[in-house]
Amino acid sequence: MSSSLLHPPSQLSPAVALRHSQEAPSILARSTGAISAPLFQSLLSAPETAELWTIYENLLLSCLRTGDDDSAHECLGRLVNRFGNDNERIMALKGLLKEAGANDATTLNAVIKEYDQILQDNPTNIPILKRRAALLRSIGRTSESVTALISLLDISPTDAEAWAELADQYFSQGLYSQAIFALEEVLVLQPNAWNIHARLGEVLFVSAKSSDNPGQLGEAIKRFSRSIELCDDYLRGYYGLKLTAKKLLSDPQKALQSRAGSEGFAIPDTATLSKLDEMATEKLAEIVRRSSAGEKGWQGYDAAEIKAARELLENDSDTVIR
């Protein structure tokens, strides 16, 4: 059985999710149906472990991604047999299957009403609060989704996932200050999350361009640098660092003015920015080269990110030649 079935499903590539879906019938045939299964079948089946239920849940999500509704319902049935219909996580998974099977807006609105009914009985049902917020966003009711997330965070202010989702929704609406605040809350809870440091750097970079605020570019440099300090092969960290350093080097006068009046993180001097740009260029080139060659230990990068990094390096080379 694949060890990737124990990983969070959001980290699985489409190819891996498809492989899991294709393997679902054989995995289900080898595994027990739960404690309610006939005694003889239970004795012949694999023993029940905590990992087994994680596998069923992740297998369910992979099957939904690939359209294998039959296997997804089989996984849900086994989870229901084990944990019961009143389990909050089971409620959310049942709602997810209903969302996946909905063919029109009317059906989706009916699912939202079911969520509302569940929350009337238990306003602190976190899995249902999250599903409701996600569904509202998926059907374009973004302001209601934001309100739902804020309500969730009033109940559970230490939910880093909810803060990250709120930041993403704010960013999608161009509310950069709010997005920055939400990401900073994530880092309070998970200070070593290198991907969140890089994401905060990206939001600061976009915000700086929209407001013509070089000071935010200095803060972005800090965040990207922290990201690659925590994970020295993180492509997005090096990509953002190079992009931001180039932006500051392209207008040294504005960077100098911002450096003089900065009250927060000071923008590095030109020599330091040049070294950061050079370091990021070398690392991006190594990542692109070794990932493209399929070297062992360098194959986990997203293809779109590798392509973007290659284009950035090529554009930089063209600029130098000219």
Side-chain angles (χ1 to χ4, degrees):
M1 192 176 294
S2 173
S3 63
S4 58
L5 277 169
L6 298 174
H7 297 167
S10 60
Q11 295 181 2
L12 300 182
S13 67
V16 174
L18 177 61
R19 188 177 75 246
H20 288 172
S21 178
Q22 293 170 337
E23 295 173 349
S26 61
I27 292 175
L28 292 169
R30 294 196 304 268
S31 304
T32 182
I35 57 174
S36 62
L39 177 61
F40 183 70
Q41 179 184 345
S42 297
L43 289 172
L44 295 178
S45 302
E48 177 182 325
T49 64
E51 287 184 351
L52 178 64
W53 309 111
T54 300
I55 288 170
Y56 280 155
E57 182 174 341
N58 288 344
L59 191 62
L60 182 156
L61 297 173
S62 290
C63 289
L64 283 182
R65 288 176 64 179
T66 57
D68 185 0
D69 293 342
D70 291 339
S71 294
H73 279 89
E74 174 68 18
C75 292
L76 178 64
R78 297 189 182 195
L79 290 166
V80 170
N81 287 340
R82 176 62 179 81
F83 298 102
N85 286 302
D86 295 332
N87 180 278
E88 293 183 355
R89 198 172 186 91
I90 296 299
M91 290 181 182
L93 290 173
K94 290 172 71 175
L96 182 60
L97 259 71
K98 291 179 181 179
E99 293 175 36
N103 296 318
D104 51 43
T106 302
T107 309
L108 290 173
N109 286 328
V111 176
I112 291 176
K113 290 180 180 179
E114 289 186 24
Y115 290 157
D116 291 339
Q117 183 59 52
I118 293 172
L119 292 172
Q120 282 185 4
D121 299 332
N122 180 10
T124 60
N125 187 324
I126 299 298
I128 291 297
L129 285 166
K130 289 186 176 184
R131 282 276 13 114
R132 183 175 180 275
L135 179 53
L136 286 168
R137 184 181 187 183
S138 72
I139 61 177
R141 293 160 61 176
T142 307
S143 60
E144 292 179 66
S145 181
V146 168
T147 302
L149 285 169
I150 292 172
S151 298
L152 189 161
L153 287 165
D154 286 339
I155 297 169
S156 179
T158 58
D159 193 318
E161 182 183 46
W163 279 113
E165 174 63 18
L166 183 61
D168 192 56
Q169 295 208 32
Y170 279 141
F171 180 78
S172 70
Q173 300 175 73
L175 302 173
Y176 303 130
S177 296
Q178 292 90 327
I180 290 167
F181 173 82
L183 287 171
E184 287 173 341
E185 289 296 315
V186 178
L187 289 174
V188 169
L189 299 167
Q190 298 182 351
N192 294 328
W194 61 83
N195 59 322
I196 300 300
H197 279 285
R199 181 56 180 162
L200 180 52
E202 291 167 357
V203 175
L204 285 162
F205 180 83
V206 174
S207 178
K209 289 184 67 176
S210 66
S211 61
D212 194 26
N213 182 358
Q216 287 187 315
L217 291 176
E219 184 67 22
I221 287 281
K222 170 186 172 182
R223 296 299 180 177
F224 288 127
S225 298
R226 180 58 175 158
S227 174
I228 60 175
E229 180 184 15
L230 291 167
C231 180
D232 62 3
D233 291 324
Y234 191 51
L235 186 151
R236 294 182 76 103
Y238 287 105
Y239 186 98
L241 182 61
K242 178 170 179 58
L243 211 58
T244 309
K246 281 183 62 179
K247 181 69 175 176
L248 288 167
L249 288 169
S250 67
D251 194 346
Q253 188 61 35
K254 183 176 290 187
L256 180 62
Q257 293 173 357
S258 178
R259 192 179 297 121
S262 175
E263 297 180 358
F265 180 77
I267 295 177
D269 57 41
T270 301
T272 302
L273 287 172
S274 297
K275 290 180 181 178
L276 289 172
D277 178 52
E278 181 181 349
M279 178 195 66
T281 300
E282 291 178 358
K283 191 64 179 183
L284 284 173
E286 180 185 16
I287 292 172
V288 169
R289 183 182 70 256
R290 303 185 75 170
S291 176
S292 300
E295 292 188 27
K296 186 177 180 180
W298 295 81
Q299 301 173 11
Y301 294 100
D302 183 87
E305 293 181 359
I306 291 292
K307 180 181 178 182
R310 182 183 291 109
E311 291 176 352
L312 179 64
L313 293 170
E314 289 174 352
N315 291 338
D316 192 46
S317 298
D318 290 343
T319 302
V320 171
I321 292 173
R322 292 194 187 100

